[in-house]
Amino acid sequence: MKNIVILGATGSIGLSTLDIIARHRENFRVLALTAHKNIDRLYDLCALHRPEYAVVADEASAKLLQQRLQKINLTIEVLIGNAGLETVASLPQADIVMAAIVGAVGLLPTLAAAKAGKRVLLANKEALVMAGALFMKEVRDHNATLLPIDSEHNAIFQCLPTDFKMGERNAKIARILLTASGGAFRELPLTDLPNVTPAQAITHPNWNMGPKITVDCATMMNKGLEVIEAHWLFGLPADQIKVLLHPQSTVHSLVEYKDGSTLAHLGCSDMRVPIAHALAWPERIASGVNNLDLLTLGKLDFAVLDTERYPCLNLAYQALQTGGTAPTILNAANEIAVQAFLDGKMAFTDIAITVDKVLNKLPSRPATNLDIILQDNAAARECAQLLNRHP
Ligand code: NAD
Ligand code: MG
């Protein structure tokens, strides 16, 4: 029986994780669930999964949740804010921590799980983009087990050589290829891009995900963040990580070996596949997802990416090449710009422009400790906010 903590339980990844757990009650027990503001959903999840702990954003939400839980005679310790998140991420009785909070706010609890030596299921790619070197060091120093949930990275993980060590370059690998669907606007005329709406941008052709990552897919910043994520997870330099347009999202990614072999992972576009893989690893459990029907699928298409349509991808490659806190700055500026776009305060095409401007304004520094990373994260957010107000 494994005890599981789900950071970001009310989101898309959190709910998919709970769906699998509900299919395997004999193997997994929910120890803690966290949410930000969606107390109704967290209450429903607590009633169903009966965790020992819940974490919410503030005192008022905690009170509300406690009162409702008391009415159904459920005793759950409700903790608050970032301190609460870090506490549950490092509970001694926790075996597995699903890191599924969206954005930079997920960094500290995910780091806490790594420092506590847990099995960390990493969906929160922003944490690794912000603090890659530091995060991987904590994983190594505390003997944590890091398993990627992002579908591309989970796919690569499944195609790696048997002697692969997380974060270390393996000489057998020539390149990895990350596939990208192209997002909501892959076929829209470029001249229409400045006028797209948030509602259009959060409609992904293949995957059902939270709003931030869905916008990131449309700008291709998601793939840029994933290139940086792959760099840290698989120990490869930027020139050994390639991106390929693959509109069907069926081949989740590929590993090219030195001998001319290419290994790929294929599956339906349902995050329960990588989540089930990481929950059970090295075993396999049912995820509720069917295997692919290749005959119905018929064909798979691949194409080179149009860099004019997706300037964010190059910005991410440049930040990776620059190193230090450049990826921290890139991620922070992107989070602010995407939120401004979702709030109707910025045009879609201004997301890339804002990230570029912030990267040009703030110099990268060596990311030698957490304070520097958090300072540059805050500075980039402020800079992006100011640019949005006074372009
Ligand atoms: P989502 O928006 O559906 O859910 C986000 C979760 O984070 C919610 O539970 C929310 O309560 C919590 N949260 C948000 N702000 C918070 C804050 N300030 N403090 C505490 N908690 C907060 O997002 P998602 O699509 O589930 O994505 C989660 C993470 O997984 C992201 O980093 C995303 O890039 C990654 N990911 C998601 C998918 C997917 O299919 N959804 C695929 C690959 C990677
Ligand atoms: Mg992905």
Side-chain angles (χ1 to χ4, degrees):
M1 183 64 83
K2 300 266 188 256
N3 285 323
I4 303 197
V5 173
I6 304 180
L7 306 173
T10 53
S12 157
I13 292 286
L15 294 176
S16 292
T17 308
L18 288 166
D19 179 277
I20 298 168
I21 290 171
R23 293 164 193 272
H24 300 279
R25 295 266 183 226
E26 68 291 0
N27 297 332
F28 303 107
R29 206 173 127 259
V30 177
L31 177 63
L33 296 175
T34 88
H36 188 44
K37 298 274 180 195
N38 195 342
I39 301 308
D40 286 344
R41 188 174 277 171
L42 184 61
Y43 167 80
D44 290 342
L45 295 177
C46 286
L48 187 63
H49 297 281
R50 301 180 162 259
E52 286 177 38
Y53 299 86
V55 184
V56 294
D58 51 45
E59 196 91 43
S61 309
K63 223 176 216 160
L64 193 69
L65 182 64
Q66 282 287 20
Q67 283 166 356
R68 293 184 62 185
L69 291 171
Q70 266 159 19
K71 284 192 190 146
I72 55 166
N73 289 325
L74 209 54
T75 314
I76 294 177
E77 192 166 337
V78 181
L79 307 176
I80 296 168
N82 292 339
L85 293 173
E86 289 185 50
T87 301
V88 295
S90 50
L91 285 169
Q93 64 272 45
D95 301 297
I96 301 176
V97 177
M98 166 54 85
I101 290 175
V102 59
V105 62
L107 174 63
L108 295 181
T110 309
L111 263 182
K115 284 187 195 168
K118 304 298 181 194
R119 173 181 290 206
V120 183
L121 273 45
L122 186 75
N124 178 212
K125 66 190 89 188
E126 294 93 345
L128 201 55
V129 170
M130 282 177 80
L134 188 102
F135 189 86
M136 296 308 288
K137 184 175 180 327
E138 298 295 6
V139 167
R140 274 194 308 275
D141 288 355
H142 300 278
N143 220 3
T145 306
L146 182 60
L147 296 174
I149 293 299
D150 217 341
S151 59
E152 297 76 3
H153 306 72
N154 183 273
I156 289 164
F157 182 72
Q158 296 196 44
C159 298
L160 287 170
T162 47
D163 62 351
F164 174 80
K165 291 204 179 62
M166 193 57 86
E168 290 179 22
R169 194 170 185 165
N170 187 300
K172 293 173 186 161
I173 299 173
R175 289 196 310 179
I176 58 175
L177 303 176
L178 301 176
T179 53
S181 71
F185 307 127
R186 69 177 172 229
E187 272 148 24
L188 198 76
L190 285 179
T191 46
D192 291 349
L193 275 183
N195 303 317
V196 298
T197 65
Q200 290 172 304
I202 59 169
T203 312
H204 194 282
N206 306 334
W207 297 92
N208 188 3
M209 310 181 285
K212 191 260 179 183
I213 183 175
T214 311
V215 174
D216 283 347
C217 286
T219 62
M220 201 58 75
M221 182 58 94
N222 182 52
K223 212 52 54 181
L225 301 179
E226 290 183 359
V227 167
I228 300 172
E229 182 184 12
H231 162 76
W232 291 113
L233 290 174
F234 308 123
L236 292 169
D239 63 358
Q240 283 177 277
I241 307 169
K242 294 286 168 211
V243 177
L244 207 59
L245 192 72
H246 170 46
Q248 291 96 348
S249 299
T250 298
V251 177
H252 294 310
S253 278
L254 313 93
V255 178
E256 291 182 348
Y257 283 85
K258 287 207 163 142
D259 60 5
S261 303
T262 301
L263 267 57
H265 174 278
L266 286 75
C268 292
S269 310
D270 188 321
M271 288 305 291
R272 289 178 299 171
V273 175
I275 295 168
H277 169 264
L279 278 172
W281 182 82
E283 303 302 324
R284 297 264 178 183
I285 55 171
S287 65
V289 182
N290 290 331
N291 285 83
L292 274 180
D293 180 350
L294 290 172
L295 291 179
T296 306
L297 203 66
K299 65 176 185 136
L300 299 170
D301 297 306
F302 299 95
V304 288
L305 276 179
D306 172 357
T307 49
E308 199 186 339
R309 182 179 295 276
Y310 302 116
C312 284
L313 183 63
N314 278 344
L315 293 176
Y317 268 108
Q318 281 163 21
L320 177 56
Q321 297 284 17
T322 305
T325 55
T328 317
I329 294 166
L330 169 101
N331 177 67
N334 181 59
E335 283 187 26
I336 296 298
V338 170
Q339 193 56 53
F341 166 68
L342 286 171
D343 294 342
K345 294 178 185 154
M346 185 183 281
F348 179 77
T349 38
D350 283 339
I351 297 174
I353 293 170
T354 302
V355 174
D356 191 18
K357 280 187 182 164
V358 175
L359 279 167
N360 283 320
K361 270 185 189 287
L362 299 182
S364 158
R365 296 191 281 168
T368 40
N369 63 53
L370 190 57
D371 282 346
I372 289 180
I373 290 165
L374 295 178
Q375 278 165 18
D376 283 11
N377 173 52
R381 281 167 188 275
E382 200 180 305
C383 184
Q385 300 273 23
L386 280 174
L387 281 171
N388 192 26
R389 259 174 262 144
H390 313 286

